[in-house]
Amino acid sequence: MAKKRGARSSRTQMLRLLFVLCVTIILLIVVFGRVFFIKVVHGEEYQQMAEQQQVNSTDVVIPALRGSIYDRNGNVLAESTRVYNIILDCQVLIDAETSVQNSTVEQILSTLGLTDENIIRQYMTDEYYNYRYLKLKEGEGISVSQMEEIQAGIDAGKVTGVWFEEDENRVYINDSLAAHIVGFNGNYGVEQYYDEYLSGVQGRKMVVANAGGSFVEEYIAAQNGNDLTLTIDSKVQYYMEQILQQGVNDTNAYKGCAICMNPKTGEIYGLVNMPTFNLNNNTEIIGMSQKYMEQNPDTNAEDYYSSVWTNFATSLTYEPGSTFKPVFASAALNEGAISPNDTFVCNGVYQIYERQVQCAGAEVHGTETIADIILNSCNVGMTQISERMGSSKWLQYQEAFGLGQLTGIDLAGEAGDSDSIIFINWDEAETLGTANGLGPFQKATTAFGQGFRTTPLQLITAFSAVINGGEYVRPYTVSQINDSNGSVVMSQTKDVLRYTISEEVSQLMREYMYGTVSSGTGTSAQVPAYE
């Protein structure tokens, strides 16, 4: 019996040992499996988490300085300067000795030209103890010299709990000059269109813990934005603004627009809208006529400011009127529908089916050639020319002269690319459900610039094609982009998109329009010493 009991006890011990061994093996398998799961399956994820935990709360973004904007003569229109914001570490400031607290307050107030100690001491209470990043409102946008003055106090141990955050201050040198071309802070104009070039790349400043437990500051410098050189001439722009504002005031016009463009190259030398605004304070509106103020009395209206910021010259359409006559006449000459020697008779009124066309004041011009029609700005004469111009051909010239199409100018927000603002063939008009089908009367009114709409920029671009030899050139406002080292990043020159009329017809139109200014209806546009 004793032997049996001993054998049973030995067997039990073996089973227990085997059980413990199995449990141990299972536990080891679980541990190794967990290690494998952490290191292999989620190793990269946990590594990133560990690295992220090493970054101290003083990790800050360093804004890049936005690129400068110059006119064609190198005059600065917009530039950015480095400024700083004062940041308080309230915990450090509260834990500091009283004497250091006092000298910190004194230094900041002295540098900022302030006298009220509560501006800073209000943050030296238990309520703000956990605020490790508090931007001091009165210390936003301080200059480099002010920052250095406070930094000297920090280096001397007299200032604590204070550090600086780099920031940018955008300044527009001439306030409202070329406002609709330049735009502001990445909005409107070239500021928006070329934002990718102007913005630059942000930098970072952070404190990182290394393996030894010490902290190292890492600094990644910001890459400043590129500079733009515009085609604008500041002097031309300035005088255009002065004259247009005077004209809007004298006529009590709702709005006004003027564009100066080199017809041979497409360079914009000046572009003005009234009313306009101050780029450094974009809610300061300038050049409002009495009519404009009466029709826009509510400064709190949703679109009150955006309607002024929007570039009227490129985004809003209007009836061009008699300024369009040379465009239609050049198409008729180029197509051979009329010749320079053809004559037309103006009796002041012309009947087209049941409707009439009149010259201004029903003035009678008598027998005229195309040169006389342009010189007299004769609606009746243009109507008779329209009757000789095939509708399908005129539709082709509308397209050639860019009517209802975007010009492709390098300014944000260009509009006016809809068939609804020009005449199209009747089938298309019916399909689109518009009243813009081109019948005899519509073609006649089109000939003298009525019954359809265009943007001021579309008109001057089409007009340029009439007088430059027939080249439809793309208008542009930026001639060159340079990086911070002065290297050329991008440049633009003349870009001919298509051809409209012949050089011979263009030469005739130049002669006709010279006659208009020298002795016709455009004599008020004469400029001494200029043709």
Side-chain angles (χ1 to χ4, degrees):
M1 291 291 293
K3 286 183 179 180
K4 287 183 179 180
R5 287 175 181 171
R8 190 179 300 122
S9 175
S10 177
R11 191 180 306 112
T12 300
Q13 288 179 356
M14 287 293 293
L15 289 172
R16 286 176 178 173
L17 287 172
L18 183 62
F19 175 77
V20 170
L21 180 61
C22 290
V23 170
T24 301
I25 292 172
I26 291 171
L27 288 174
L28 287 172
I29 291 172
V30 170
V31 170
F32 283 116
R34 184 61 179 168
V35 170
F36 176 84
F37 180 80
I38 292 174
K39 293 290 288 183
V40 178
V41 179
H42 287 282
E44 184 176 349
E45 176 184 345
Y46 288 133
Q47 177 68 19
Q48 291 176 353
M49 291 174 62
E51 291 174 353
Q52 182 62 32
Q53 290 174 352
Q54 289 180 342
V55 179
N56 189 272
S57 61
T58 58
D59 182 10
V60 295
V61 171
I62 301 171
L65 289 182
R66 198 167 178 81
S68 297
I69 300 175
Y70 302 89
D71 80 344
R72 66 185 302 110
N73 299 311
N75 299 306
V76 180
L77 300 177
E79 65 180 357
S80 291
T81 56
R82 178 65 68 203
V83 294
Y84 296 85
N85 301 320
I86 295 177
I87 308 300
L88 300 181
D89 185 332
C90 298
Q91 190 175 117
V92 172
L93 188 56
I94 292 170
D95 288 341
E97 296 181 1
T98 302
S99 60
V100 178
Q101 289 179 341
N102 292 338
S103 59
T104 298
V105 173
E106 291 173 4
Q107 179 68 73
I108 295 176
L109 292 178
S110 174
T111 300
L112 300 183
L114 304 172
T115 57
D116 184 5
E117 291 191 358
N118 191 53
I119 288 173
I120 301 167
R121 291 197 181 277
Q122 63 180 320
Y123 303 119
M124 296 166 60
T125 61
D126 291 341
E127 177 185 355
Y128 290 95
Y129 188 76
N130 292 322
Y131 283 66
R132 308 302 302 272
Y133 173 98
L134 194 150
K135 185 183 294 185
L136 184 65
K137 181 180 178 181
E138 294 77 7
E140 293 183 14
I142 67 173
S143 65
V144 175
S145 60
Q146 288 175 308
M147 180 276 293
E148 291 176 343
E149 189 175 329
I150 297 175
Q151 184 62 50
I154 296 174
D155 295 339
K158 297 180 179 180
V159 175
T160 191
V162 175
W163 53 283
F164 304 100
E165 177 183 77
E166 294 185 51
D167 207 345
E168 172 197 26
N169 182 41
R170 190 70 165 165
V171 177
Y172 299 92
I173 308 303
N174 300 297
D175 291 329
S176 62
L177 187 76
H180 289 95
I181 293 176
V182 175
F184 56 90
N185 301 324
N187 298 295
Y188 300 95
V190 296
E191 280 272 16
Q192 181 175 333
Y193 192 92
Y194 288 100
D195 183 61
E196 181 181 353
Y197 289 95
L198 288 165
S199 296
V201 181
Q202 293 180 333
R204 292 181 69 188
K205 181 170 67 175
M206 51 193 168
V207 176
V208 180
N210 61 25
S214 60
F215 291 86
V216 178
E217 182 178 276
E218 289 191 2
Y219 183 90
I220 302 174
Q223 299 177 31
N224 293 336
N226 299 310
D227 299 332
L228 306 183
T229 298
L230 305 186
T231 60
I232 302 303
D233 187 306
S234 291
K235 290 184 178 180
V236 172
Q237 179 74 26
Y238 172 79
Y239 286 115
M240 287 176 65
E241 292 181 6
Q242 300 303 305
I243 294 168
L244 183 64
Q245 182 168 356
Q246 185 64 51
V248 168
N249 291 340
D250 290 346
T251 59
N252 195 26
Y254 181 70
K255 282 189 176 183
C257 169
I259 307 173
C260 180
M261 173 176 163
N262 185 328
K264 295 181 179 180
T265 64
E267 295 170 281
I268 301 294
Y269 292 155
L271 185 153
V272 189
N273 295 303
M274 287 295 164
T276 185
F277 58 97
N278 186 340
L279 289 167
N280 291 306
N281 177 16
N282 53 50
T283 59
E284 179 187 339
I285 309 303
I286 301 165
M288 290 183 290
S289 66
Q290 186 65 34
K291 179 183 289 187
Y292 188 89
M293 289 187 285
E294 289 172 355
Q295 295 187 27
N296 297 274
D298 184 9
T299 58
N300 294 315
E302 184 177 356
D303 63 344
Y304 181 82
Y305 293 108
S306 62
S307 65
V308 177
W309 300 335
T310 299
N311 192 341
F312 167 44
T314 62
S315 304
L316 300 179
T317 59
Y318 76 117
E319 282 192 346
S322 293
T323 56
F324 191 74
K325 288 173 180 172
V327 179
F328 193 98
S330 68
L333 281 168
N334 195 71
E335 193 57 33
I338 62 172
S339 72
N341 298 320
D342 288 349
T343 57
F344 307 86
V345 178
C346 171
N347 294 318
V349 179
Y350 192 78
Q351 192 80 24
I352 299 183
Y353 297 101
E354 74 282 2
R355 308 178 75 170
Q356 287 186 336
V357 171
Q358 292 186 343
C359 278
E363 186 172 349
V364 177
H365 297 118
T367 302
E368 303 173 293
T369 64
I370 179 59
D372 300 319
I373 291 172
I374 297 297
L375 183 143
N376 295 323
S377 190
C378 178
N379 292 348
V380 169
M382 290 302 302
T383 298
Q384 293 175 46
I385 291 174
S386 74
E387 291 181 319
R388 301 189 185 185
M389 183 72 169
S391 296
S392 60
K393 286 296 182 181
W394 170 233
L395 292 173
Q396 293 174 17
Y397 278 98
Q398 280 187 161
E399 184 175 350
F401 281 114
L403 303 183
Q405 302 173 45
L406 301 183
T407 65
I409 193 172
D410 50 349
L411 290 174
E414 185 185 8
D417 61 341
S418 170
D419 285 337
S420 64
I421 65 175
I422 61 170
F423 286 109
I424 53 181
N425 67 53
W426 279 110
D427 291 339
E428 290 176 328
E430 289 180 5
T431 301
L432 295 173
T434 75
N436 282 53
L438 187 67
F441 186 77
Q442 288 76 21
K443 189 167 55 171
T445 58
T446 302
F448 49 84
Q450 295 180 17
F452 74 102
R453 304 178 69 84
T454 183
T455 66
L457 184 66
Q458 286 173 345
L459 177 62
I460 196 172
T461 308
F463 205 95
S464 294
V466 172
I467 64 175
N468 70 7
E471 295 177 334
Y472 186 91
V473 294
R474 182 179 64 84
Y476 64 102
T477 63
V478 171
S479 60
Q480 192 165 283
I481 301 177
N482 298 83
D483 63 20
S484 56
N485 297 319
S487 299
V488 177
V489 175
M490 187 271 281
S491 62
Q492 294 190 102
T493 56
K494 175 181 177 179
D495 182 13
V496 180
L497 301 182
R498 56 187 170 272
Y499 296 90
T500 57
I501 58 176
S502 68
E503 171 59 51
E504 293 74 21
V505 170
S506 181
Q507 174 62 36
L508 286 172
M509 294 307 302
R510 291 197 294 270
E511 293 173 6
Y512 299 159
M513 286 186 280
Y514 177 78
T516 304
V517 176
S518 63
S519 59
T521 55
T523 54
S524 61
Q526 287 183 7
V527 179
Y530 285 87
E531 290 188 353

